Amino acid sequence: MKKVSFIHAADLHLDSPMAGLRELPQPILKRLRESTFAALRKIVDAAISNDVDFVILAGDLYDGDDRSLKAQSRFRTEMERLLEKNIAVYAIHGNHDHLQGTWVKIAMPDNVHIFGTETGAVRHRAKSGAEVWIYGFSYPSRHVTEKRIHTYEKRIGGDFHIGILHGNDGSSSEHGNYCPFTVGELADKQFDYWALGHIHKRAVLSENPPIIYPGNIQGRNRKETGEKGCYLVQLGENGAQLDFIEAFDVIWKEAEISAKGARDFDSILRRCLDWKERLRNNGTGVLLSITLKDVNLEDGSEWDSLHGSLAELIQDGEEGESSFVWTHRVAIEEEASWKREELAAESDFYNELFQLAGKFDDINDVLEPLYGRLPGRKYLSRIEKDEGNRILAEAEHMLVHLLREKG
């Protein structure tokens, strides 16, 4: 029976600097900065243990167009492991590691095929005897904003046809709209599988034919939560079988913890510690963001003096753990003792305050002067709408709380 098996991974971002995380303890920060390499090693382990025909890497192998020597060297080491098992690698470069950059080049072993700037096709003979055509191109520069799907021309013959594409289907505003396409355009090519890259969130855009974003292999910030890894794909006469394989070494997680009914600081601390233990992963690290809801202590002064120590107490003892759970953020949502409508009705001042607050539909509008200027725009990324709404709500709650407290 004609069949083929392969690993599909994308967005390795090897040697990512993990910018903006300097507040982490050095052992955990070092672990996080090594995590992309650890994830790649797990992917290679999976390819070898499953005896696949080849590995597909759909763009952004490296985090920048300068391709650090460390990243290239580590990548080559893993490719050599695949070479020893006679496993081929088909890869493209994306917008982060485009071919226009300047770097000191380290040669890759013969089993690695990197597609050039023009869409090409390579024929692979699988262990089953199946003839597989694999198509793809690498970004010639960072900004490839035009459609390229028309350049994928299906070859005559072959048992399976697989397209590799690093681009945006328009479903995510978090990533640049590079090499845009629609699911319909890909399906019209009548390929057996589309191996996508660029979007860091795992997504199955279509099951027939499979059009797949595997997501990135390792979360690099608190927006990239959840399990990260790659797909083990098996194509046969009866269609496709997809199995997700976890590869992350550190995972970002969020927890909402209700403090309702807790009347002292220690009760809240114990709830947070219990949650921390529930989220502990054997062998991997966890970076945890906690939102503490419905805080209403009997002694408000106690909370005011101690809530700043909560994160420190939750973090205690985690620095030396291999399966650490490090709480990098604690957000507090106190149980409101007031209602917006009632305050607005009883006071013109509060009514005007809430009207003014309502004009801030998007927090990024307020921060626009920072985004548009150096050095601010070099270090700031735009805040997502949900996060912006949360910040604005917290600011309003804090302001009203202070005004009512001072009378």
Side-chain angles (χ1 to χ4, degrees):
M1 186 176 87
K2 299 287 181 70
K3 61 181 180 179
V4 61
S5 67
F6 59 93
I7 292 287
H8 169 203
D11 298 282
L12 282 58
H13 290 275
L14 296 177
D15 204 20
S16 175
M18 307 295 178
L21 298 172
R22 294 177 182 172
E23 76 282 359
L24 294 176
Q26 279 303 309
I28 293 178
L29 181 58
K30 182 179 179 181
R31 174 86 172 268
L32 187 58
R33 285 178 171 163
E34 284 286 312
S35 62
T36 56
F37 300 121
L40 174 61
R41 189 162 54 249
K42 290 180 183 180
I43 288 171
V44 171
D45 289 344
I48 293 172
S49 63
N50 286 283
D51 192 26
V52 299
D53 290 293
F54 51 83
V55 172
I56 288 177
L57 302 176
D60 286 355
L61 282 61
Y62 306 107
D63 192 60
D65 55 19
D66 58 349
R67 290 166 174 68
S68 74
L69 290 172
K70 176 182 177 181
Q72 291 185 73
S73 178
R74 297 281 191 93
F75 182 71
R76 180 170 65 180
T77 297
E78 297 304 321
M79 298 304 100
E80 288 172 342
R81 290 179 60 208
L82 294 173
L83 177 63
E84 291 174 1
K85 300 298 181 179
N86 197 31
I87 296 174
V89 179
Y90 298 99
I92 64 173
H93 291 300
N95 56 296
H96 274 263
D97 59 353
H98 59 88
L99 296 178
Q100 197 178 56
T102 56
W103 66 92
V104 177
K105 187 175 182 179
I106 292 182
M108 293 299 144
D110 292 339
N111 63 321
V112 178
H113 176 85
I114 305 289
F115 285 87
T117 58
E118 299 297 326
T119 305
V122 178
R123 183 168 56 185
H124 181 98
R125 182 70 65 177
K127 296 180 179 72
S128 69
E131 186 180 82
V132 186
W133 281 101
I134 303 167
Y135 308 76
F137 79 94
S138 291
Y139 277 43
S141 61
R142 178 176 294 277
H143 302 289
V144 179
T145 56
E146 71 276 9
K147 285 180 177 284
R148 291 287 298 264
I149 183 57
H150 64 281
T151 64
Y152 287 74
E153 298 181 1
K154 188 176 182 180
R155 298 298 177 94
I156 297 173
D159 299 295
F160 301 102
H161 298 262
I162 300 171
I164 311 175
L165 179 63
H166 193 86
N168 195 341
D169 72 321
S171 63
S172 174
S173 59
E174 297 176 32
H175 301 275
N177 192 29
Y178 300 134
C179 198
F181 64 87
T182 66
V183 170
E185 288 171 336
L186 300 192
D188 286 345
K189 290 295 176 178
Q190 298 184 333
F191 284 10
D192 298 284
Y193 187 90
W194 279 98
L196 303 180
H198 185 51
I199 304 301
H200 289 186
K201 187 174 182 179
R202 182 164 30 121
V204 177
L205 302 186
S206 168
E207 293 183 353
N208 187 25
I211 301 175
I212 310 296
Y213 280 118
N216 55 342
I217 65 172
Q218 167 62 56
R220 301 175 304 145
N221 56 61
R222 64 185 180 83
K223 295 179 183 178
E224 297 182 347
T225 57
E227 291 76 13
K228 301 291 184 179
C230 63
Y231 275 104
L232 169 64
V233 184
Q234 299 178 73
L235 299 179
E237 295 173 0
N238 297 321
Q241 178 181 330
L242 280 68
D243 296 296
F244 183 73
I245 297 175
E246 295 180 352
F248 62 89
D249 187 50
V250 179
I251 187 170
W252 296 78
K253 290 195 173 185
E254 296 179 343
E256 283 194 357
I257 302 175
S258 173
K260 192 172 282 292
R263 291 295 177 247
D264 57 47
F265 179 85
D266 187 57
S267 297
I268 290 177
L269 174 61
R270 288 180 182 276
R271 291 190 189 188
C272 293
L273 294 176
D274 287 345
W275 262 97
K276 183 177 77 168
E277 291 308 316
R278 286 185 221 172
L279 296 174
R280 196 177 297 278
N281 271 349
N282 185 32
T284 60
V286 177
L287 289 168
L288 178 61
S289 173
I290 291 177
T291 300
L292 196 57
K293 304 175 76 70
D294 306 317
V295 175
N296 186 11
L297 301 186
E298 290 178 348
D299 185 354
S301 61
E302 178 190 55
W303 178 247
D304 289 341
S305 61
L306 293 178
H307 80 269
S309 303
L310 183 60
E312 185 179 345
L313 292 171
I314 300 171
Q315 293 165 351
D316 190 40
E318 294 295 331
E319 264 185 75
E321 293 283 343
S322 60
S323 301
F324 63 82
V325 182
W326 183 264
T327 303
H328 66 95
R329 174 178 171 272
V330 177
I332 310 296
E333 294 184 10
E334 294 186 59
E335 196 171 46
S337 59
W338 50 270
K339 292 184 178 179
R340 214 171 189 263
E341 298 78 10
E342 293 177 357
L343 282 181
E346 72 181 38
S347 166
D348 289 339
F349 173 79
Y350 282 116
N351 186 40
E352 290 182 21
L353 175 65
F354 295 139
Q355 285 182 5
L356 179 62
K359 293 180 180 179
F360 295 108
D361 293 330
D362 188 345
I363 196 170
N364 288 305
D365 293 339
V366 182
L367 299 176
E368 190 60 40
L370 291 177
Y371 295 138
R373 297 177 184 170
L374 287 174
R377 69 184 181 198
K378 185 177 179 180
Y379 300 101
L380 294 176
S381 58
R382 293 183 183 277
I383 298 172
E384 292 181 27
K385 190 170 183 61
D386 289 347
E387 176 71 2
N389 290 340
R390 185 192 64 76
I391 293 172
L392 289 171
E394 283 186 6
E396 179 184 284
H397 187 280
M398 182 183 298
L399 181 58
V400 173
H401 176 75
L402 290 172
L403 288 169
R404 286 167 59 82
E405 185 180 68
K406 301 301 180 183

